[in-house]
Structures are given as C-alpha cells and as structure tokens.
Amino acid sequence: MLGKPMSAAWDENPIVIVLAPTGAEVTRAQQPALPHTPGEIAAATREAVAAGASLVHLHMREPDGAPSARLELWQETIQLLDRGPEVIKMISTGGSVDQSIEERLIGMQAGPDLAGIETGSLNFGDELFLTSRPDGLRVVAAAQEHGVELEVEAFDLGHVHAALRMHERGELPGPLRFNLVLGVPGGVDATPEALYAMRMALPADARWTVTAIGRHQRRMLALAVLCGATGVRVGFEDNVYLRRGRLAVSNAELVADMADLATALGRRPATFDEARELLDIHPRAAVSA
Ligand code: KMH
Ligand code: ZN
C-alpha cells in the first residue's frame, strides 16, 4: 500500500507525471510537433509513457488543428490508447472557450478513466472560460452515468473552495482529486505563495497535481515535487519550451526532463499501477462490477 496522499512525507511516494499533449489553444505555428489526430496523440502518449508519464489529459482537434468535440475522434483516441502501453486516460471537460457544455461532455461517452471538472469561471487570457454551477453539476451527473472518476481543475482559490462546498453538500463524490493550475492569465499567478494558498485549502486526504503555464512550469513543478504533490503535469497544452528560447522537440522530451528533475529531487516517476493507487482510480471493469 502506498502512503497516504497528503499526510505522507513529501518524498514517501513516487510522483505521477501527467502528460497534456495537445490542449485547445496551442498551434503548430508555436509548436510544430503538436499532435492533432488520434494517431498522433496516441504516438505522443506512447513515447511519453516510455519517458515516465502514467496519465494522459486529452483534448481533441480536427486534422487542421481546430478544437473538436467529435465523438469519433474521442473513441478512436481511447481505442488506440487501449492498445497500450497502459496509461490512465483522462478527458478534459473544459474543452475550449467556445464549446458549449454539451460539447464538453461528449468525451464521457468514449470510456475514459477520469474526467476534469471545472467548479467556476475565469478570464482566460482575452477570452471568458465559463462554467456555471449547473454546468458543474451536469459534469458530475455525466461522470456518474458513464462510470468515470473526476478531478477538479482549479484555476483559482475560489474554484477549490467551490469544489469543497460541492463535496460537503454531497454533490461531488470523493475521493477528492485536484489539479491546481497556476499561471493562466485570469487565474492565480504561478508563484510559490499562490501554490501554498491553494494547497493549504485542500483536505488532508485530497490528491493533488500541479500544472503551471509557460516559463513558470519547471520551477513550480519542482516546488510541487518538493511539497509532496501527488502529480505534476507537463506537455504542449501548458508549455512548448524545454528551456528559455529552446522549443521542446516532443512532448516526451518534456516528460523525460520532468522525470530526471523529480528523480534528482528525490522522487521517481510513478508506474501505471502506482499512479492508479495514488490517485485511487480503478479499472473500469472493477468499477462496473
Ligand atoms: N482550454 C481551456 C479553456 C481543462 O482541460 O479542463 C480549458 C482547459 C481546462 O484546458
Ligand atoms: Zn486541458
């Protein structure tokens, strides 16, 4: 049995490396190796798993790169990932800023293990990223209908508090998992102080992953490793550079760099089985049995 999520010593558990290979906003003009198609996303995930990733956070794109909600793309991607190597398959229900909540829920039908849930709204750069309370409740209902586990995507401290209120009211089932997203313009800054404020709001048994945008990624994820986070997220959704002025050649290069950094700091990457236990995510067959 692996240690308890937050009460464990910071280095008691290996770290779950999450790959976010595509996102909804990054373009090939910014990152030529950005995967668009199910085949490209599956290939990027395979390489990333070999480099130390154990969970993949998915968004769909049309072949031309436009954000997509097409069920066939979700199904093809999940089917390709099911061929191995083993990886926890997570869908975004944040989608892109111009998708409706109905579009954002379509991936639930493709049989993922895990889905994100937004518990509030924010400015997202120059756009609005809106998730009303009823939208959040619809995400929970869809997850329950399809037997999918949930992770709260918190871009602000208020999103953490809103999730905790939902949980207290019985509207958001446990176990509580959070992805603390730092550095979206409109959300919390990517600073140690902001990470500390969000982490201190979490219950002791919550699982928590950290995401940080752009040039803040490496420093904030190193801090997350040292603070005992359950996971850290890398990939082109959040950052296209390996170092200042040096584009990453692949998503896997970012994963390998994170694996090396975490190992040097005292925590090796979690295997797939360890990640499932640390995040309390069990095989779908076992869920429905
Ligand atoms: N693309 C953003 C508007 C998530 O995946 O849950 C939403 C997003 C967050 O990427
Ligand atoms: Zn996302």
Side-chain angles (χ1 to χ4, degrees):
M1 184 68 187
L2 294 166
K4 292 176 219 77
M6 229 171 89
S7 49
W10 71 272
D11 61 348
E12 191 172 315
N13 293 321
I15 189 129
V16 177
I17 300 184
V18 178
L19 172 69
T22 305
E25 290 82 23
V26 178
T27 67
R28 280 205 177 145
Q30 297 165 311
Q31 173 44 267
L34 184 73
H36 287 171
T37 65
E40 290 165 353
I41 292 170
T45 303
R46 274 195 298 277
E47 270 186 55
V49 170
S54 47
L55 192 160
V56 61
H57 168 93
L58 298 162
H59 288 250
M60 292 298 106
R61 302 282 189 111
E62 293 296 329
D64 69 358
S68 180
R70 266 204 297 142
L71 179 57
E72 307 82 70
L73 295 177
W74 284 114
Q75 286 171 327
E76 188 182 345
T77 304
I78 299 279
Q79 282 162 13
L80 288 172
L81 292 173
D82 279 343
R83 293 183 190 167
E86 288 183 310
V87 65
I88 300 171
K89 298 173 288 291
M90 172 182 181
I91 61 157
S92 166
T93 68
S96 67
V97 289
D98 50 7
Q99 284 177 350
S100 66
I101 190 65
E102 289 77 16
E103 290 173 309
R104 287 161 54 182
L105 288 174
I106 286 173
M108 290 280 191
Q109 299 171 44
D113 305 299
L114 178 67
I117 173 172
E118 269 71 20
T119 55
S121 302
L122 71 156
N123 287 320
F124 202 88
D126 293 335
E127 314 283 346
L128 281 176
F129 179 30
L130 298 177
T131 307
S132 67
R133 208 181 108 69
D135 288 346
L137 295 173
R138 285 185 65 176
V139 175
V140 176
Q144 288 179 332
E145 180 188 345
H146 293 284
V148 178
E149 298 283 336
L150 287 170
E151 175 190 85
V152 175
E153 307 301 296
F155 298 81
D156 213 339
L157 181 56
H159 299 163
V160 175
H161 291 151
L164 296 177
R165 297 295 91 79
M166 286 176 74
H167 184 61
E168 283 165 12
R169 285 194 291 262
E171 297 167 346
L172 176 65
L176 286 173
R177 306 177 191 87
F178 289 87
N179 178 27
L180 308 178
V181 185
L182 309 170
V184 169
V188 290
D189 284 346
T191 62
E193 293 77 13
L195 175 58
Y196 184 71
M198 290 177 99
R199 178 200 184 283
M200 291 311 289
L202 302 178
D205 60 351
R207 280 83 176 153
W208 57 291
T209 291
V210 175
T211 292
I213 305 302
R215 66 194 166 85
H216 303 287
Q217 182 172 76
R218 206 160 184 273
R219 160 172 109 118
M220 294 309 300
L221 299 196
L223 191 56
V225 170
L226 294 170
C227 290
T230 316
V232 286
R233 184 172 111 175
V234 295
F236 294 160
E237 174 165 348
D238 307 321
N239 170 41
V240 297
Y241 288 95
L242 183 69
R243 297 283 185 278
R244 184 185 286 265
R246 162 51 163 104
L247 278 179
V249 296
S250 64
N251 274 291
E253 188 179 31
L254 291 169
V255 172
D257 183 58
M258 191 64 227
D260 288 346
L261 178 60
T263 303
L265 293 173
R267 297 180 66 192
R268 63 173 175 79
T271 64
F272 168 74
D273 286 333
E274 289 169 338
R276 274 207 331 222
E277 192 169 344
L278 286 165
L279 291 165
D280 203 358
I281 293 170
H282 299 290
R284 289 175 56 77
V287 170
S288 54

